[in-house]
Amino acid sequence: MSTILQIETPAHFNFTQNLHYLSRSPDECMYHILDGGIKRALQLEGQTIIIELREAASDKPALEVRFLCGNDTAQLQAAVSRYVREWLDLDTDLQPFYDCAVREPLLQHAVASFPGLRIMGIPDLFEALCWGIIGQQINLPFAYTLKRRLVEQFGEGIAYEGRQYLLFPDPAIIAGLSVGQLTSLQLTGRKSEYLIGVASLIAEGELSKEQLLASGSLQAAERMLLRIRGIGPWTANYVLMRCLRFPNAFPIDDVGLHNAIKHLKGMERKPTKQEITELAAAWSSWEAYATFYLWRLLY
DNA sequence: TTCCAGGGTAACG
DNA sequence: CGTTACCATGGA
């Protein structure tokens, strides 16, 4: 009946490792993980579909995608394939990072513990920016709660086999909200203003992923993001890492990164920014992956 | 109870 | 300019 799309996976990719990362919060609302597979809704090529992603039982290491709901034209299949490759970062060769990490005291343990882990992406720019802003200065469980409220309140949902599959809210919807409609979800007034502002920029076509990628360099894209109210160095680099996929994006202000370093080095205090800069010199051009692996040590 | 959470802004000197 | 108060809630 429905087509099964096969997607070959590269060396240094382990589906179970990544599934474990994706399972980290019971409050995650953008996909359902059950029985070794991921199911989620996607809006691609102007259509809304539900897919299931799991490891393929084939000779070559691969994933298989089932189309549970919606058409599966060749064009849509190609779009889904591109989406999955980007989401799971299947097109990056991790060998150079691993070559670097095995010689690096701070990274050895992490890369040995989570082989095949990749930076799980947030392909949608608006979702990535919202997630970054929501997560500023609050603990992660609460951030997941706030995201779920936002998505349940303002995102579209599709029911399938008794389960609700949610799409992230359209920027135009959020752009039209009042601050009060967001503070009622327990977002702060300030963050509510940030979200509405970012939504407006995207809805008006003044900010896009294409535009950021076309800027030519990490630094240029970072400068564009830093001009936006509510986006500082941490949020900019977080988005450059998880959405734009710059391997050298580096959220150096991240408290989780600070705690991981403190723990690994047996320090009594958190490292200073200068100390981190000196340590991270050895991760040059792979700062994003180093950060992601160190985060993984924390939970 | 206090302190910290995947920070950023605006108002100070 | 560098520094600081403030945001607002939940969990340890």
Side-chain angles (χ1 to χ4, degrees), chain A residues 250-263:
Chain A
F250 191 23
I252 194 171
D253 303 296
D254 186 85
V255 70
L257 175 70
H258 302 171
N259 285 332
I261 293 173
K262 173 186 170 189
H263 176 71

Side-chain angles (χ1 to χ4, degrees), chain A residues 25 41 46 53 98 104-105 115 148 156 172 187 192 231 233-234 290 299:
Chain A
S25 172
L53 178 65
Y98 283 167
E104 171 59 20
R148 183 171 50 72
E156 286 187 47
L187 283 153
S192 300
I231 301 179
W234 178 84
Y299 50 86

Side-chain angles (χ1 to χ4, degrees), chain A residues 4-46:
Chain A
I4 297 178
L5 187 61
Q6 291 255 349
I7 300 177
E8 280 190 38
T9 53
H12 306 303
F13 176 85
N14 181 306
F15 186 67
T16 306
Q17 283 292 353
N18 294 293
L19 199 61
H20 196 277
Y21 170 82
L22 292 171
S23 307
R24 69 183 175 154
S25 172
D27 257 323
E28 175 58 61
C29 59
M30 300 309 297
Y31 44 80
H32 298 296
I33 295 181
L34 194 64
D35 193 25
I38 312 171
K39 296 181 189 177
R40 71 174 299 168
L42 288 177
Q43 209 155 32
L44 293 172
E45 306 287 316

Side-chain angles (χ1 to χ4, degrees), chain A residues 7-10 13 63 84-86 88-92 118:
Chain A
I7 300 177
E8 280 190 38
T9 53
F13 176 85
L63 303 174
V84 169
R85 301 197 74 84
E86 185 181 353
L88 307 187
D89 199 24
L90 299 183
D91 294 318
T92 297
R118 295 195 171 236

